[in-house]
Amino acid sequence: MLIAGWSFTNLCNLRCKHCYNASGKQKADELTLEESIKVADKLKEAWVTAVNFGGGECALRPDFIELCKYLKKIGIGISYTTNGTTYNVIEKHLNLFHDIGVSIDFADKEKHDAFRGRAGTFDKAILTLKKLVANNVDTEIVTCLTKLNCSEGELLKIYNLAKKLGVNYWRINRFRPNGRGICNEDILALSQEDLKKAYEFLSRYIPKDSSVPEPIFRAAFGGDYCLVGDPSGQTSFRIQANGEVSPSVFLKESGGNIKEKSIGEIMNSKIFQEIRTRSQNGKCKNCPAYFNCQGGDAGASYLQYKHFNGPDPMCWLKPEEINIKSKRIIGKSWNVHELYLCTLYIPIWRIKNGN
């Protein structure tokens, strides 16, 4: 079972401070629709179950819906992460999408718009969320956890907003210094203590039997999981706008171009083999959580150390203090991102229903 991420375009109408893709202008070498259809056929042949479209803002390409229609036709599920400003493009095609995530980084209009680089973005994103919920779409608020919004006060505001809007999930990705984020690393980068305090707060809202795709979180606070370690390069990969394929959504390093190579050839490339053969390094050697954590976020390790062996640079845990509480669940239903990257899901729907 494989999940493909796809940066269908570098085109974006915002200039977000954290953007790992440094999205903005459309690039001349982006895959055409005809080439993308051929890619879709390759994904089907490789038993790819679902595709997550993400940044740039894919709906800005006029052929995005045509590609989604084709993916739907051949039986590949579609997850879409959007900044919430292009609802007019997708509103008549909501049936194409399994789930849609809308980025909200602050529950405060001024702060969110400043972070995203364009006035009016917050209002459009909130309106999009309301319409998605009203149309019974599986809807997420997606937040990038940074130095600017990791406090209990800021997180509680977003949590309350998620409940008020009635979305299905609140999904949180921690900041990784890549793309445009490198230029803003001094104001955005989390410390280990920042992450610890944020996760301690978020742990109050994640039921003990919830699935937790973030290895460090479950090593610290427990939680069920579908897959050991980081899904990157194991059950997932990222197709860049020009067809290059990376093992992690946060990396540009490529295992080959999908126009020229099969999925099998790409996943057998050197960098994919390296990410799948991680070894215990540093404090991971004596860590009782390693059997399920596997060193945490592989992409974060590569960005920091230029190798995948960890330990995750954001791990604050001391092996001698870890009390394992996690268990692997086989055969459960799963959300697309559980097999795609290290992330946190807070099931707002369970909280609404008293579960």
Side-chain angles (χ1 to χ4, degrees):
M1 185 183 300
L2 293 174
I3 305 295
W6 196 338
S7 293
F8 186 51
T9 184
N10 198 65
L11 181 63
C12 191
N13 52 354
L14 304 184
R15 296 295 182 274
C16 305
K17 286 181 168 50
H18 70 298
C19 183
Y20 61 85
N21 200 50
S23 300
K25 294 182 179 180
Q26 187 170 3
K27 294 185 177 179
D29 62 350
E30 292 183 2
L31 297 174
T32 65
L33 178 60
E34 182 181 4
E35 289 171 330
S36 297
I37 295 296
K38 292 179 180 178
V39 168
D41 289 336
K42 283 189 175 183
L43 298 181
K44 183 66 176 179
E45 290 169 6
W47 298 96
V48 169
T49 303
V51 168
N52 173 252
F53 284 107
E57 184 64 19
C58 296
L60 291 175
R61 266 190 62 162
D63 48 4
F64 175 60
I65 294 299
E66 289 305 308
L67 177 57
C68 290
K69 287 179 178 178
Y70 187 75
L71 287 166
K72 180 82 170 181
K73 178 182 176 181
I74 62 176
I76 295 178
I78 304 169
S79 173
Y80 182 33
T81 305
T82 171
N83 60 34
T85 65
T86 56
Y87 183 77
N88 62 307
V89 176
I90 65 172
E91 62 179 334
K92 294 181 180 179
H93 308 284
L94 297 180
N95 64 303
L96 296 174
F97 301 96
H98 173 271
D99 61 87
I100 298 178
V102 180
S103 296
I104 296 286
D105 300 294
F106 296 89
D108 178 276
K109 175 180 177 178
E110 286 72 25
K111 289 180 180 179
H112 179 87
D113 287 359
F115 187 75
R116 293 273 159 179
R118 181 180 172 189
T121 300
F122 181 80
D123 288 341
K124 288 184 177 181
I126 295 298
L127 183 60
T128 293
L129 284 162
K130 288 179 178 178
K131 290 181 176 179
L132 291 173
V133 170
N135 282 282
N136 296 313
V137 177
D138 187 343
T139 307
E140 301 172 357
I141 281 180
V142 183
T143 299
C144 180
L145 186 66
T146 71
K147 187 79 149 181
L148 301 178
N149 65 4
C150 67
S151 69
E152 182 172 324
E154 294 291 352
L155 293 173
L156 184 58
K157 290 177 185 177
I158 303 174
Y159 170 73
N160 287 332
L161 177 63
K163 286 201 301 179
K164 179 181 177 181
L165 292 171
V167 299
N168 295 81
Y169 293 94
W170 177 24
R171 187 164 61 79
I172 302 104
N173 298 319
R174 55 185 166 98
F175 171 74
R176 282 86 164 178
N178 206 2
R180 192 177 297 117
I182 295 174
C183 303
N184 298 299
E185 185 174 3
D186 57 334
I187 62 170
L188 299 182
L190 297 156
S191 67
Q192 290 182 358
E193 186 65 19
D194 289 332
L195 188 66
K196 177 184 177 182
K197 289 181 178 179
Y199 278 6
E200 284 176 342
F201 170 74
L202 294 170
S203 69
R204 304 176 198 173
Y205 304 101
I206 299 180
K208 295 301 181 183
D209 60 344
S210 287
S211 185
V212 179
E214 162 63 277
I216 291 180
F217 183 96
R218 64 177 182 253
F221 304 106
D224 298 339
Y225 60 99
C226 309
L227 189 75
V228 297
D230 180 352
S232 300
Q234 298 187 70
T235 56
S236 70
F237 52 85
R238 178 76 163 191
I239 306 169
Q240 307 298 338
N242 62 359
E244 296 295 331
V245 181
S246 305
S248 167
V249 60
F250 302 108
L251 300 180
K252 293 295 185 184
E253 286 75 7
S254 175
N257 196 295
I258 199 166
K259 290 190 295 184
E260 303 158 358
K261 296 184 177 181
S262 68
I263 302 298
E265 289 173 317
I266 290 170
M267 295 197 75
N268 282 320
S269 66
K270 183 175 182 293
I271 194 164
F272 273 78
Q273 288 182 19
E274 287 176 354
I275 204 171
R276 289 199 303 272
T277 56
R278 303 174 73 184
S279 59
Q280 291 173 270
N281 196 47
K283 66 180 181 179
C284 289
K285 291 181 179 179
N286 300 309
C287 184
Y290 190 80
F291 77 94
N292 82 71
C293 177
Q294 301 286 297
D297 187 305
S301 293
Y302 193 88
L303 290 172
Q304 181 75 21
Y305 314 124
K306 296 304 177 188
H307 64 70
F308 296 112
N309 296 328
D312 188 314
M314 294 304 297
C315 180
W316 71 86
L317 297 166
K318 296 178 181 179
E320 64 273 16
E321 297 176 356
I322 293 176
N323 180 19
I324 298 300
K325 307 169 188 174
S326 298
K327 61 180 179 178
R328 190 172 185 186
I329 303 299
I330 307 297
K332 69 175 284 294
S333 60
W334 43 268
N335 290 302
V336 168
H337 287 79
E338 289 185 64
L339 301 182
Y340 182 43
L341 80 162
C342 300
T343 191
L344 274 182
Y345 278 100
I346 295 182
I348 302 297
W349 66 270
R350 288 185 62 175
I351 296 162
K352 289 191 300 179
N353 295 333
N355 296 319

